Amino acid sequence: MTTALSTSPPRAPRTNVARADGSSAFRLRGRAHKAALTAHVLSSVGWFGIAVTVAFAAITAGVTDDATLAHALYRTIELVPLLSIPLGLVAVATGALLGVGTKWGLVRHWWVVAKIAISAAVIVTDAFVVGSAAHDVAAGGAANGLYGPVIAHVVVLAGATVLSVFKPRGRTPFGRVATEPAAA
């Protein structure tokens, strides 16, 4: 049996240097890309799952006739930011790593910018609205201030998922500059 020898010269190792257009040559490839993508998908799915669970708990607490159950659900929702915010930050960090390490970039495409804005909005409302609104309701206040944010989290995180899957066209000004040919 004979084996064919490759006639092409060996490849030089890839380096992470800046290109002429200002973008980085850093790219996630192979196992590193799969690991980052897996971590991003798992953290994002978990974050969405928490949002759905919180919305379900809030709605259930609002319609039940059992005052003890309603109070327990509102007290549980008070604690959600302790889990939701760190998981959201993991989703943001892994998304940023994927953005920097892939052709999509962080601010080259509008769909990526929209996902960053959605993530920031959900984290901020978790930190400042959801927990305090649940506390107010558990202390005897009206639940009206709680329903909007928890339902909005489900909707916008689902929207972020749709953006990730369909990746609509449209480049930001930074994305257009990065794709223009360099001046000779």
Coordinates of all heavy atoms in Angstrom, one line a residue, residues 134-182:
A134 N -41.7 42.2 43.4 CA -42.1 41.0 44.1 C -42.1 41.2 45.6 O -43.0 40.8 46.3 CB -41.2 39.8 43.7
H135 N -41.2 41.9 46.1 CA -41.1 42.2 47.5 C -42.3 43.1 47.9 O -43.0 42.8 48.9 CB -39.8 42.9 47.9 CG -39.7 43.4 49.3 ND1 -39.5 42.5 50.3 CD2 -39.9 44.6 49.8 CE1 -39.5 43.2 51.5 NE2 -39.7 44.4 51.2
D136 N -42.6 44.1 47.1 CA -43.8 45.0 47.4 C -45.1 44.2 47.4 O -45.9 44.4 48.2 CB -43.8 46.1 46.3 CG -42.7 47.1 46.5 OD1 -42.0 47.1 47.5 OD2 -42.5 47.9 45.5
V137 N -45.2 43.3 46.4 CA -46.4 42.5 46.4 C -46.5 41.5 47.6 O -47.6 41.4 48.2 CB -46.5 41.7 45.0 CG1 -47.7 40.7 45.0 CG2 -46.6 42.6 43.9
A138 N -45.4 40.9 47.9 CA -45.4 40.0 49.1 C -45.7 40.7 50.4 O -46.3 40.2 51.3 CB -44.0 39.3 49.2
A139 N -45.4 42.0 50.4 CA -45.7 42.9 51.6 C -47.1 43.4 51.6 O -47.5 44.2 52.4 CB -44.7 44.0 51.7
G140 N -47.9 43.0 50.6 CA -49.3 43.4 50.5 C -49.6 44.4 49.5 O -50.8 44.8 49.4
G141 N -48.7 44.7 48.6 CA -49.0 45.7 47.5 C -49.7 45.0 46.3 O -49.9 43.8 46.3
A142 N -50.0 45.8 45.3 CA -50.7 45.3 44.1 C -49.6 44.7 43.2 O -48.5 45.1 43.1 CB -51.4 46.4 43.4
A143 N -50.0 43.6 42.5 CA -49.1 42.8 41.6 C -49.0 43.4 40.3 O -48.2 42.9 39.4 CB -49.7 41.4 41.5
N144 N -49.7 44.5 40.0 CA -49.7 45.1 38.6 C -48.3 45.4 38.1 O -48.0 45.3 37.0 CB -50.5 46.3 38.6 CG -52.0 46.0 38.8 OD1 -52.4 44.9 38.7 ND2 -52.8 47.0 39.2
G145 N -47.4 45.9 39.0 CA -46.0 46.3 38.6 C -45.1 45.1 38.4 O -44.0 45.3 37.9
L146 N -45.6 43.9 38.6 CA -44.8 42.7 38.4 C -45.0 42.0 37.1 O -44.1 41.5 36.5 CB -45.0 41.8 39.6 CG -44.2 40.5 39.6 CD1 -42.7 40.8 39.7 CD2 -44.6 39.6 40.8
Y147 N -46.3 42.0 36.7 CA -46.6 41.3 35.5 C -45.9 41.8 34.2 O -45.4 41.0 33.4 CB -48.1 41.3 35.2 CG -48.9 40.7 36.3 CD1 -50.1 41.3 36.8 CD2 -48.6 39.4 36.8 CE1 -50.8 40.7 37.8 CE2 -49.3 38.8 37.8 CZ -50.4 39.5 38.3 OH -51.2 38.9 39.3
G148 N -45.8 43.1 34.0 CA -45.2 43.6 32.8 C -43.8 43.2 32.6 O -43.4 42.6 31.6
P149 N -42.9 43.4 33.6 CA -41.5 43.0 33.4 C -41.3 41.5 33.2 O -40.5 41.1 32.4 CB -40.8 43.5 34.7 CG -41.7 44.5 35.3 CD -43.1 44.2 34.9
V150 N -42.0 40.7 34.0 CA -41.7 39.2 33.9 C -42.2 38.7 32.5 O -41.6 37.8 31.9 CB -42.3 38.4 35.1 CG1 -41.6 38.9 36.4 CG2 -43.8 38.5 35.2
I151 N -43.3 39.2 32.0 CA -43.8 38.8 30.7 C -42.9 39.3 29.6 O -42.6 38.7 28.7 CB -45.3 39.2 30.5 CG1 -46.2 38.3 31.5 CG2 -45.8 39.0 29.1 CD1 -47.6 38.8 31.6
A152 N -42.5 40.6 29.8 CA -41.6 41.2 28.8 C -40.3 40.4 28.7 O -39.8 40.3 27.6 CB -41.3 42.7 29.2
H153 N -39.8 39.9 29.8 CA -38.5 39.1 29.8 C -38.7 37.9 28.9 O -37.8 37.6 28.1 CB -38.1 38.7 31.2 CG -37.5 39.8 32.0 ND1 -37.1 39.6 33.3 CD2 -37.3 41.1 31.7 CE1 -36.6 40.7 33.8 NE2 -36.7 41.7 32.8
V154 N -39.8 37.2 29.0 CA -40.1 36.0 28.2 C -40.1 36.4 26.7 O -39.5 35.8 25.9 CB -41.4 35.3 28.6 CG1 -41.7 34.2 27.6 CG2 -41.3 34.8 30.0
V155 N -40.8 37.5 26.4 CA -41.0 37.9 25.0 C -39.7 38.4 24.4 O -39.3 38.0 23.3 CB -42.1 39.1 24.9 CG1 -42.1 39.7 23.6 CG2 -43.4 38.5 25.3
V156 N -38.9 39.2 25.1 CA -37.7 39.7 24.5 C -36.6 38.7 24.5 O -35.8 38.7 23.5 CB -37.2 41.0 25.2 CG1 -38.2 42.2 25.1 CG2 -36.8 40.8 26.7
L157 N -36.5 37.8 25.5 CA -35.5 36.7 25.4 C -35.9 35.7 24.2 O -35.0 35.2 23.6 CB -35.4 36.0 26.7 CG -34.7 36.8 27.8 CD1 -34.7 36.0 29.1 CD2 -33.3 37.1 27.4
A158 N -37.2 35.5 24.0 CA -37.6 34.7 22.8 C -37.2 35.5 21.6 O -36.8 34.8 20.6 CB -39.1 34.5 22.9
G159 N -37.4 36.8 21.6 CA -37.0 37.6 20.4 C -35.5 37.5 20.1 O -35.0 37.4 19.0
A160 N -34.7 37.5 21.2 CA -33.2 37.3 21.0 C -32.9 36.0 20.4 O -32.0 35.9 19.6 CB -32.5 37.5 22.4
T161 N -33.6 35.0 20.8 CA -33.4 33.6 20.2 C -33.8 33.6 18.7 O -33.0 33.1 17.9 CB -34.3 32.6 20.9 OG1 -33.9 32.6 22.3 CG2 -34.1 31.2 20.4
V162 N -34.9 34.3 18.4 CA -35.2 34.4 17.0 C -34.1 35.1 16.2 O -33.8 34.7 15.1 CB -36.6 35.1 16.8 CG1 -36.9 35.4 15.4 CG2 -37.7 34.2 17.4
L163 N -33.6 36.2 16.7 CA -32.5 36.9 16.1 C -31.3 36.0 15.9 O -30.7 36.0 14.8 CB -32.1 38.1 16.9 CG -33.1 39.3 16.9 CD1 -32.7 40.3 17.9 CD2 -33.3 39.9 15.5
S164 N -31.0 35.2 16.9 CA -29.8 34.3 16.8 C -30.0 33.2 15.7 O -29.1 32.9 15.0 CB -29.6 33.6 18.1 OG -29.2 34.5 19.1
V165 N -31.2 32.8 15.5 CA -31.5 31.7 14.5 C -31.5 32.3 13.1 O -30.9 31.8 12.2 CB -32.8 31.0 14.9 CG1 -33.2 30.1 13.7 CG2 -32.7 30.2 16.2
F166 N -32.3 33.4 12.9 CA -32.5 34.0 11.6 C -31.4 34.9 11.1 O -31.2 35.2 9.9 CB -33.9 34.6 11.5 CG -34.9 33.6 11.5 CD1 -35.6 33.3 12.7 CD2 -35.2 32.8 10.4 CE1 -36.6 32.3 12.7 CE2 -36.2 31.9 10.4 CZ -36.9 31.6 11.6
K167 N -30.7 35.6 12.1 CA -29.6 36.5 11.7 C -30.0 37.4 10.6 O -29.4 37.4 9.5 CB -28.3 35.8 11.4 CG -27.8 35.0 12.6 CD -26.6 34.1 12.1 CE -26.0 33.3 13.2 NZ -26.9 32.4 13.9
P168 N -30.9 38.3 10.8 CA -31.4 39.2 9.7 C -30.2 40.1 9.2 O -29.3 40.4 9.9 CB -32.5 40.1 10.4 CG -32.4 39.9 11.8 CD -31.6 38.6 12.1
R169 N -30.3 40.4 7.9 CA -29.3 41.2 7.3 C -29.3 42.6 7.9 O -30.3 43.1 8.5 CB -29.6 41.3 5.8 CG -29.3 40.0 5.1 CD -29.5 40.2 3.7 NE -29.4 38.9 3.0 CZ -29.6 38.7 1.7 NH1 -30.0 39.8 1.0 NH2 -29.4 37.6 1.2
G170 N -28.3 43.3 7.7 CA -28.2 44.7 8.1 C -26.9 44.9 8.9 O -26.7 44.3 10.0
R171 N -26.0 45.7 8.4 CA -24.8 46.0 9.1 C -24.8 47.3 9.7 O -25.4 48.3 9.1 CB -23.6 45.9 8.1 CG -23.3 44.5 7.6 CD -22.1 44.5 6.7 NE -21.8 43.2 6.3 CZ -20.8 42.4 6.8 NH1 -20.1 42.9 7.8 NH2 -20.6 41.2 6.3
T172 N -24.2 47.5 10.8 CA -24.0 48.7 11.5 C -23.0 49.5 10.7 O -22.3 49.0 9.8 CB -23.5 48.6 12.9 OG1 -22.2 48.0 12.9 CG2 -24.5 47.7 13.7
P173 N -22.8 50.8 11.0 CA -21.7 51.6 10.3 C -20.4 50.9 10.6 O -19.5 51.0 9.7 CB -21.8 53.0 11.0 CG -23.3 53.1 11.3 CD -23.7 51.7 11.8
F174 N -20.1 50.3 11.8 CA -18.9 49.7 12.0 C -18.7 48.4 11.2 O -17.6 48.1 10.7 CB -18.8 49.3 13.5 CG -18.8 50.4 14.4 CD1 -20.0 50.7 15.2 CD2 -17.7 51.3 14.6 CE1 -20.0 51.8 16.1 CE2 -17.8 52.3 15.4 CZ -18.9 52.6 16.2
G175 N -19.8 47.7 10.9 CA -19.7 46.6 10.0 C -19.5 46.9 8.6 O -18.8 46.2 7.9
R176 N -20.0 48.1 8.2 CA -19.8 48.5 6.8 C -18.4 48.9 6.6 O -17.8 48.7 5.5 CB -20.8 49.6 6.4 CG -22.2 49.1 6.2 CD -23.1 50.1 5.6 NE -23.4 51.2 6.5 CZ -24.4 51.3 7.4 NH1 -25.2 50.3 7.5 NH2 -24.5 52.4 8.2
V177 N -17.8 49.6 7.5 CA -16.4 50.0 7.4 C -15.5 48.8 7.4 O -14.5 48.8 6.6 CB -16.0 51.0 8.6 CG1 -14.5 51.2 8.7 CG2 -16.8 52.3 8.5
A178 N -15.8 47.8 8.2 CA -14.9 46.6 8.2 C -14.9 45.9 6.9 O -14.0 45.1 6.6 CB -15.4 45.7 9.4
T179 N -16.0 46.0 6.1 CA -16.1 45.2 4.9 C -15.6 46.0 3.7 O -15.5 45.4 2.6 CB -17.5 44.7 4.7 OG1 -18.4 45.8 4.6 CG2 -17.9 43.7 5.8
E180 N -15.4 47.3 3.8 CA -15.0 48.1 2.7 C -13.5 47.8 2.3 O -12.7 47.6 3.2 CB -15.1 49.6 3.0 CG -16.6 50.0 3.1 CD -16.7 51.5 3.5 OE1 -15.6 52.1 3.7 OE2 -17.8 52.0 3.7
P181 N -13.2 47.7 1.1 CA -11.8 47.4 0.7 C -10.9 48.6 1.2 O -11.2 49.7 1.2 CB -11.8 47.3 -0.8 CG -13.1 47.9 -1.2 CD -14.0 47.9 -0.1
A182 N -9.7 48.2 1.6 CA -8.7 49.2 2.1 C -8.2 50.0 0.9 O -8.1 49.6 -0.2 CB -7.5 48.4 2.7

